[in-house]
C-alpha cells in the first residue's frame, strides 16, 4: 500500500544535498518541461487529476487555469509551507529530506503559470527546516539551476524567496498568507468568488501547498498516466499520510489514495500502542469531524469517500485515539488551540472560540451542566458560515462532532 513518488528519495543518505539529489533524478523533468508550452504543462497536471494537498483537495490544474492569460502584470507563485495544524507534519519532511524536489516543482509550476518569482512561506519556528531549505536554494543559485536562466540554458527565469512567518496558524490560510507576505497582519480576505486567482500587491498569484508542488515533476517527466495509475478515479495519485497519537509506528507514509483507513492504522501504523481498543480517529489534522471506531472501519482514504461518511481527508494527518483517552479533555485541548489561534477579525470566531473554551473548562471542573453543553452546540451553529474564512467552520466541525458522537462523556462531567 506504500507507493513512493514524493518520498522516493527520503531514505537516501544526504538526499537534501544537490549532488546527491542530481544523482537521484532531481531536475530530470526539466528537459521535457521546456519542450512543452506552458498551457501544455497545465493540461498535463489537469489530466493527472492532481489535487491540492493543503487540506481542501482542489484540482491543481483548474486552479492554475484561473491565472489571467496575456496579462502584463507579473505573476507569482506562493508555496504554502506554514504547516501549523496539530497532527499535520508532512511538508517539513520534504524540506528536510528533498528540498531540491520542491525547487524542481517550483520551476515546473512557475513555468506553467508564467511566474518568475516564487515565495515559500514557512512557519518561523521551523528554524532547522528553514536553514535546510535556504541552503538548498543557495546551492541551486550557485549551480545556476535557478536565477536568470533555469539550468543556465532554458529561457525561463525564476527567483525563490523564503518568507518566515511569525508562527500563526491562520497565516496558512491562503489570503492571510499573502497579506502576511505583503507585510500586513495575517488576516484572511473576503473572497469575491471561487473561480479567481489570488492577488499579491494587485498582481495575479497562485497559492499551492508544498506537497502539491513537489508532486508536479513526476507528472511532467512521466506523463499524467504515471500518476493516475495510483489512487482512485476521483482522487488519483498518492499523498503523504501522517499517523500520530496512540499507535506503535507514528510517522509519515506515502500511500495511494483509496486504501482503507483501518489497514493504514494496523498494517503501517502498527496498530494500537498499548494494546487497548481503538476509540476514534481525527482524520486530516484537527479541522475534520471525528470518526468513531465503527466509522474508521468503513473509512477509505480518498476525498469523496471521506465526504460520504461526513468527514474530510484534510491534510491526511490521522490522530489515533484509544479507549483510555477522555474526549472532553481532548476537546478542551483542541479548543484551546483554536481559541489561541483565532485571528480575531470576525466576532463569531473570536468570541465563540473563547466562549466554548471557557465552557469546556467549566465542564472539566464540574462547574457546568447539560444546558451548557447545549450552549456549545448553539454557539457552533451561530459561528458556522458567518466568518470570512473556514477557520470557524473547521473548529465547529471537530468540536460539535466530538460532542454529538461522544455525548455521554460530556454528560458525565455535567453538574446535576
Ligand atoms: C486556518 C487555515 C490554515 C491553513 N493552513 C495551511 C497550511 O499550513 N498549508 C497549506 O498548504 N494550506 C493551508 N490551508 C489551506 C490554504 O488556504 C490553501 O487552500 C492551500 O494552501 C492551497 O494549496 P493546495 O491547493 O495545493 O492544497 C489553511 C487553511 C486555513 C483555513
Amino acid at each position: 500500500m506504500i507507493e513512493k513518488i514524493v518520498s522516493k528519495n527520503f531514505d537516501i543518505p544526504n538526499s537534501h544535498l544537490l549532488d546527491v539529489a542530481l544523482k537521484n533524478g532531481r531536475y530530470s523533468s526539466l528537459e521535457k518541461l521546456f519542450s512543452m508550452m506552458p498551457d501544455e504543462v497545465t493540461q498535463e497536471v489537469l489530466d493527472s487529476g492532481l489535487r491540492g494537498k493543503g487540506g481542501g483537495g482542489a484540482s491543481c490544474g483548474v486552479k492554475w487555469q484561473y491565472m489571467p492569460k496575456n496579462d502584463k502584470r507579473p505573476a507569482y507563485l506562493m508555496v504554502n509551507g506554514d504547516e501549523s495544524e496539530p497532527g499535520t507534519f508532512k511538508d517539513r519532511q520534504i524540506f528536510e529530506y528533498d528540498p531540491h524536489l520542491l525547487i524542481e516543482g517550483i520551476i515546473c509550476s512557475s513555468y506553467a503559470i508564467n511566474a518568475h518569482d516564487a515565495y515559500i512561506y514557512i512557519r518561523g519556528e521551523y528554524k532547522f527546516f528553514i536553514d535546510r531549505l535556504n541552503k538548498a536554494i543557495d546551492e541551486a543559485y550557485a549551480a545556476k539551476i535557478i536565477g536568470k536562466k533555469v539550468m543556465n540554458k532554458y529561457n525561463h527565469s525564476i527567483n525563490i524567496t523564503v518568507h518566515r512567518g511569525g508562527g500563526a496558524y491562520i497565516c496558512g490560510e491562503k489570503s492571510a498568507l499573502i497579506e502576511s507576505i505583503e507585510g500586513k497582519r495575517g488576516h484572511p480576505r473576503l473572497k469575491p468568488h471561487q473561480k479567481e486567482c489570488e492577488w499579491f500587491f494587485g498582481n495575479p498569484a497562485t497559492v499551492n501547498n508544498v506537497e502539491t508542488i513537489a508532486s508536479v515533476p513526476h507528472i511532467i517527466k512521466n506523463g499524467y498516466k504515471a500518476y493516475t495509475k495510483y489512487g482512485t478515479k476521483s482522487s488519483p495519485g498518492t499523498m503523504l499520510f501522517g499517523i500520530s497519537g496512540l499507535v506503535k509506528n507514528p510517522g509519515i507514509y506515502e500511500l495511494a489514495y483509496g486504501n482503507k483507513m483501518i489497514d493504514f492504522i494496523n498494517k503501517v501504523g502498527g496498530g494500537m500502542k498499548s494494546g487497548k481498543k481503538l476509540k476514534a480517529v481525527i482524520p486530516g489534522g484537527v479541522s475534520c469531524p471525528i470518526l468513531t471506531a465503527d466509522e474508521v472501519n468503513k473509512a477509505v482514504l480518498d476525498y469523496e469517500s471521506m465526504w460520504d461518511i461526513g468527514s474530510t481527508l484534510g491534510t491526511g494527518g490521522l490522530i489515533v485515539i484509544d479507549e483510555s483517552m477522555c474526549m472532553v479533555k481532548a476537546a478542551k485541548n483542541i479548543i484551546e488551540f483554536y481559541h489561541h489561534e483565532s485571528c480575531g477579525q470576525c466576532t463569531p470566531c473570536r468570541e465563540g472560540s473563547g466562549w466554548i473554551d471557557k465552557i469546556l473548562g467549566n465542564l472539566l471542573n464540574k462547574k457546568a451542566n447539560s444546558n451548557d453543553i447545549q450552549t456549545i452546540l448553539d454557539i457552533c451553529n451561530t459561528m458556522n458560515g458567518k466568518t470570512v474564512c473556514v477557520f470557524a467552520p473547521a473548529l465547529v466541525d471537530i468540536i460539535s462532532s466530538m460532542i454529538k458522537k461522544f455525548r455521554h462523556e460530556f454528560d458525565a462531567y455535567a453538574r446535576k
Side-chain angles (χ1 to χ4, degrees), residues 50-60 63-64 78-85 88 90-91 121 168-177 188 191 198 206-213 287 303 315 337-338 341 389-392 394:
L50 175 65
R51 301 181 73 147
K53 320 280 187 188
S59 159
C60 180
K63 193 188 256 189
W64 289 0
M78 309 301 201
V79 183
N80 193 343
D82 194 51
E83 193 160 76
S84 306
E85 184 159 323
T88 304
K90 64 188 182 66
D91 295 337
Y121 193 93
Y169 171 51
I170 198 62
C171 286
E173 196 278 341
K174 57 189 174 179
S175 59
L177 177 149
K191 293 159 195 74
E198 304 299 317
T206 290
V207 182
N208 270 130
N209 172 258
V210 165
E211 188 192 345
T212 314
I213 297 294
S287 58
Y303 294 95
T315 56
F337 167 77
Y338 277 108
E341 295 296 331
C389 83
V390 296
F391 178 102

Side-chain angles (χ1 to χ4, degrees), residues 25-36:
R26 294 296 159 250
Y27 302 107
S28 61
S29 66
L30 299 185
E31 195 177 340
K32 169 120 178 269
L33 176 84
F34 290 109
S35 72
M36 299 163 82

Side-chain angles (χ1 to χ4, degrees), residues 49 86 284 301:
L301 296 169

Side-chain angles (χ1 to χ4, degrees), residues 61-370:
V62 169
K63 193 188 256 189
W64 289 0
Q65 286 182 324
Y66 295 150
M67 292 294 275
K69 298 261 177 301
N70 305 320
D71 197 284
K72 289 210 166 54
R73 292 167 292 190
Y76 292 89
L77 176 67
M78 309 301 201
V79 183
N80 193 343
D82 194 51
E83 193 160 76
S84 306
E85 184 159 323
T88 304
F89 48 97
K90 64 188 182 66
D91 295 337
R92 68 195 79 168
Q93 314 284 326
I94 299 173
F95 294 137
E96 181 167 2
Y97 297 113
D98 209 348
H100 286 286
L101 175 63
L102 179 62
I103 298 172
E104 186 180 356
I106 289 174
I107 295 172
C108 298
S109 311
S110 65
Y111 178 66
I113 63 167
N114 195 26
H116 299 284
D117 277 292
Y119 286 88
I120 304 173
Y121 193 93
I122 181 166
R123 192 180 165 96
E125 289 95 326
Y126 295 161
K127 186 175 180 325
F128 173 82
F129 306 107
I130 293 165
D131 289 348
R132 196 155 260 202
L133 189 58
N134 273 325
K135 190 160 182 281
I137 292 170
D138 288 348
E139 278 184 312
Y141 271 118
K144 297 196 169 13
I145 290 171
I146 54 174
K148 277 199 182 122
K149 271 183 179 286
V150 167
M151 300 305 267
N152 208 17
K153 59 179 175 184
Y154 298 115
N155 207 10
H156 178 68
S157 73
I158 180 71
N159 286 310
I160 302 178
T161 307
V162 175
H163 188 102
R164 296 179 66 165
Y169 171 51
I170 198 62
C171 286
E173 196 278 341
K174 57 189 174 179
S175 59
L177 177 149
I178 295 182
E179 288 278 300
S180 172
I181 301 182
E182 286 183 358
K184 291 178 258 168
R185 182 180 278 212
H187 277 176
R189 295 172 178 168
L190 272 174
K191 293 159 195 74
H193 55 78
Q194 290 298 316
K195 296 186 174 171
E196 194 178 296
C197 64
E198 304 299 317
W199 300 97
F200 176 53
F201 285 120
N203 301 304
T206 290
V207 182
N208 270 130
N209 172 258
V210 165
E211 188 192 345
T212 314
I213 297 294
S215 303
V216 174
H218 175 84
I219 295 165
I220 299 308
K221 184 177 169 187
N222 305 299
Y224 73 89
K225 287 187 181 150
Y227 196 70
T228 54
K229 74 175 185 187
Y230 301 107
T232 64
K233 199 160 184 286
S234 54
S235 299
T238 63
M239 185 160 182
L240 294 177
F241 283 97
I243 187 161
S244 64
L246 302 168
V247 286
K248 283 191 189 126
N249 308 321
I252 291 290
Y253 304 92
E254 188 170 4
L255 310 181
Y257 291 107
N259 280 291
K260 286 186 175 165
M261 184 180 280
I262 195 70
D263 288 346
F264 178 39
I265 296 169
N266 289 332
K267 294 182 186 163
V268 182
M272 306 311 290
K273 198 175 177 179
S274 53
K276 292 203 172 80
K277 259 174 67 189
L278 173 75
K279 178 170 174 178
V281 168
I282 306 175
V286 291
S287 58
C288 310
I290 196 166
L291 299 175
T292 62
D294 282 349
E295 288 168 328
V296 172
N297 280 317
K298 290 182 220 138
V300 174
L301 296 169
D302 67 61
Y303 294 95
E304 280 69 19
S305 305
M306 292 297 286
W307 290 332
D308 285 348
I309 60 167
S311 190
T312 63
L313 197 57
T315 56
L318 274 60
I319 302 171
V320 182
I321 294 170
D322 78 13
E323 58 187 347
S324 68
M325 190 176 277
C326 165
M327 278 301 164
V328 185
K329 287 182 183 160
K332 173 75 170 88
N333 193 321
I334 291 170
I335 196 63
E336 275 176 24
F337 167 77
Y338 277 108
H339 180 197
H340 182 260
E341 295 296 331
S342 172
C343 77
Q345 183 179 203
C346 308
T347 309
C349 179
R350 183 186 66 237
E351 300 300 320
S353 57
W355 195 356
I356 298 173
D357 188 5
K358 194 171 168 193
I359 297 177
L360 283 176
N362 286 343
L363 195 61
L364 281 171
N365 291 321
K366 304 260 179 198
K367 286 184 187 157
N369 58 35
S370 53

